[in-house]
Amino acid sequence: GEDVEQSLFLSVREGDSSVINCTYTDSSSTYLYWYKQEPGAGLQLLTYIFSNMDMKQDQRLTVLLNKKDKHLSLRIADTQTGDSAIYFCAEKEGGSYIPTFGRGTSLIVHP
Amino acid sequence: DVKVTQSSRYLVKRTGEKVFLECVQDMDHENMFWYRQDPGLGLRLIYFSYDVKMKEKGDIPEGYSVSREKKERFSLILESASTNQTSMYLCASSSPPQETQYFGPGTRLLVL
């Protein structure tokens, strides 16, 4: 079945850029998502990208998609302590109700 | 803004009790979902519904049932709670065409 892989942890210094990576196996993926989960809370949609796009930028967030390598990344510029959270990558085929989620990357931002 | 609400943030129940978790969305979404989230296991889909009174099993439906009597409300029922159902429960809703899922704040359930 489909699989989405992320590294479990990332530690960065405040003010640096963070890059969270994700790989997926489903070549039929149409939509790819990034969610953020703060402690004790639900998942908050950060951004999504269609599979026919290479890049999407939204303020401090940049999503890059390499469809050939099935690799998705989320770059957070000028990382702040408030960015500390778990970040989930997800992918979905067109016509499917249900995305496949990665297990999440814990981003730790230290002074 | 899409809003998905869940009836409780924290719940403590005893083994064998019947437990109801309620989820309400205000965006007229067709689809609703229940997940559980456990450390190291990520999100696992329990049940989903693509229409009123329709339901489909997810990856881990055992020990759970659901009810969707109205479009905006999706209930998760633990018929007889067990300690291995201690978890964080997340509800989500979505709608075509993107089917982007919007999540509630979660219910942290402890079964003693």
Side-chain angles (χ1 to χ4, degrees):
Chain A
E2 303 87 358
D3 202 12
V4 176
E5 298 283 341
Q6 303 177 240
S7 53
L8 288 181
F9 298 99
L10 177 65
S11 177
V12 299
R13 195 182 302 274
E14 192 174 13
D16 286 352
S17 291
S18 310
V19 179
I20 303 171
N21 294 301
C22 170
T23 57
Y24 59 97
T25 57
D26 187 357
S27 54
S28 306
S29 297
T30 305
Y31 301 96
L32 297 117
Y33 308 90
W34 284 105
Y35 286 86
K36 176 184 181 183
Q37 185 181 34
E38 295 180 359
L43 276 67
Q44 172 196 352
L45 178 69
L46 282 178
T47 188
Y48 64 89
I49 189 169
F50 297 113
S51 59
N52 61 359
M53 298 168 67
D54 298 324
M55 185 180 93
K56 183 177 181 182
Q57 189 152 4
D58 183 2
Q59 300 182 330
R60 291 190 298 124
L61 305 179
T62 304
V63 177
L64 294 178
L65 175 61
N66 181 329
K67 200 173 175 185
K68 175 176 166 290
D69 294 340
K70 300 194 187 76
H71 182 268
L72 183 73
S73 67
L74 174 69
R75 179 177 179 269
I76 306 172
D78 187 26
T79 313
Q80 302 298 307
T81 54
D83 295 321
S84 293
I86 303 175
Y87 290 81
F88 289 89
C89 168
E91 63 85 20
K92 192 183 74 64
E93 286 183 47
S96 169
Y97 299 119
I98 303 165
T100 301
F101 287 87
R103 295 194 176 190
T105 299
S106 287
L107 175 64
I108 301 157
V109 182
H110 55 90
Chain B
D1 267 358
V2 175
K3 192 152 186 195
V4 181
T5 56
Q6 294 184 228
S7 50
S8 305
R9 292 300 304 273
Y10 302 95
L11 215 48
V12 181
K13 295 291 180 182
R14 295 215 173 268
T15 303
E17 279 193 79
K18 192 168 185 175
V19 182
F20 293 87
L21 303 183
E22 302 263 308
C23 175
V24 177
Q25 50 96 3
D26 68 357
M27 285 302 291
D28 202 35
H29 282 174
E30 279 82 7
N31 309 316
M32 296 187 76
F33 308 81
W34 276 105
Y35 293 90
R36 64 179 280 178
Q37 183 181 19
D38 301 287
L41 298 178
L43 293 172
R44 292 183 290 168
L45 182 64
I46 305 171
Y47 267 97
F48 68 99
S49 168
Y50 54 88
D51 202 352
V52 175
K53 296 194 188 294
M54 305 303 288
K55 60 186 179 185
E56 292 281 344
K57 292 180 181 178
D59 299 318
I60 51 161
E62 296 79 19
Y64 303 94
S65 62
V66 290
S67 171
R68 192 158 180 212
E69 296 297 318
K70 292 186 177 181
K71 190 176 185 179
E72 67 271 17
R73 189 179 298 267
F74 192 34
S75 302
L76 180 70
I77 302 149
L78 287 66
E79 295 289 342
S80 176
S82 63
T83 54
N84 63 13
Q85 292 179 309
T86 290
S87 188
M88 172 75 137
Y89 289 88
L90 294 165
C91 175
S93 70
S94 72
S95 207
Q98 283 91 348
E99 305 286 357
T100 302
Q101 291 196 339
Y102 294 90
F103 284 81
T107 296
R108 192 168 290 281
L109 173 66
L110 173 62
V111 182
L112 299 172

